[in-house]
Amino acid sequence: MENRYAGGCASCSVWVSAGGGFLGKGVTGGWEVRCATCRFLDDRAAADDFDPEALELPPVPPAGSAATVALRVLTLTRPCWACGEATVCLAGLYPQRPARGYVGLFTTDSPRTLALARRLLQNHGHAALAATVRPRYSGTMRKRQLSNGCSHCDALQGNFPVQEEALGRVAASGVDGLDTLVIADCPVLEWQAVVHGSSGGVMAI
Ligand SMILES: [Zn+2]
Ligand SMILES: [Zn+2]
């Protein structure tokens, strides 16, 4: 069924114009809007051969879908384990206006989410902080991967302690337990790739 009224998609919070998406019952029984891209990807995710690493996103957002979505780039400041100075770590992404039915703070535990957060910072006047996020060797993961780094001494700030602290802050105070560094306009397809392509790295909120 088409959505008669405009609204935000329950899966991704992208704005959908009237008639541009679908209306369905959510898990709690209320009516929710879903954008055409998320409906397609949710159907695909139910298939046996679905591979989140090889998402079949459309080349452009479908008619009725907004082109960009405003995201909060969430950070936390904590002492660096190596030098003791306070340093800013990228923690996650969350829609500025979460839609009805939307649940999901996507954390930088997922390299895909961290890469998008870094790109948004580069595009929104935070190049210096973005530059602290780069590939480093992780002894825990036994490979080089994109990571938060100390702005003073460049030491890798491990995902485990950063996410543990983020989880504690969100459990205590919700999304406002983290700092919103910037509200960034993000191309919807890049955001939907994070929403549907993250294996792990999401807090229900
Ligand atoms: Zn959607
Ligand atoms: Zn340091």
Side-chain angles (χ1 to χ4, degrees):
M1 179 168 31
E2 281 191 353
N3 57 317
R4 231 176 112 192
Y5 302 104
C9 169
S11 291
C12 69
S13 290
V14 167
W15 194 253
V16 182
S17 59
F22 301 91
L23 202 60
K25 281 267 169 70
V27 283
T28 55
W31 290 97
E32 293 176 351
V33 173
R34 185 139 300 154
C35 75
T37 303
C38 287
R39 179 152 129 150
F40 170 73
L41 291 171
D42 286 344
D43 285 351
R44 285 293 299 129
D48 290 338
D49 61 345
F50 178 71
D51 175 6
E53 295 297 319
L55 275 183
E56 299 159 57
L57 284 162
V60 294
S65 164
T68 61
V69 57
L71 299 179
R72 293 164 70 153
V73 180
L74 300 166
T75 62
L76 57 84
T77 302
R78 66 197 301 274
C80 167
W81 64 271
C83 74
E85 297 284 335
T87 193
V88 177
C89 296
L90 307 194
L93 296 171
Y94 188 75
Q96 182 191 19
R97 283 180 291 276
R100 177 158 36 154
Y102 178 84
V103 285
L105 192 167
F106 287 84
T107 76
T108 53
D109 208 16
S110 156
R112 200 190 283 247
T113 309
L114 183 56
L116 178 56
R118 178 175 68 162
R119 198 152 62 243
L120 293 175
L121 288 187
Q122 286 165 342
N123 296 343
H124 288 79
H126 290 274
L129 179 58
T132 66
V133 176
R134 63 176 185 80
R136 293 178 181 83
Y137 182 77
S138 160
T140 314
M141 300 300 288
R142 296 175 190 273
K143 62 178 180 185
R144 272 175 83 77
Q145 61 174 31
L146 203 59
S147 56
N148 278 299
C150 175
S151 57
H152 307 277
C153 75
D154 199 46
L156 182 151
Q157 308 295 303
N159 271 345
F160 184 75
V162 170
Q163 297 307 328
E164 195 175 50
E165 179 154 352
L167 190 60
R169 293 186 187 200
V170 170
S173 315
V175 66
D176 291 326
L178 297 168
D179 302 319
T180 298
L181 183 76
V182 67
I183 291 172
D185 273 331
C186 177
V188 293
L189 293 171
E190 294 183 37
W191 171 237
Q192 287 160 340
V194 161
V195 169
H196 294 278
S198 297
S199 40
V202 59
M203 296 180 201
I205 183 170

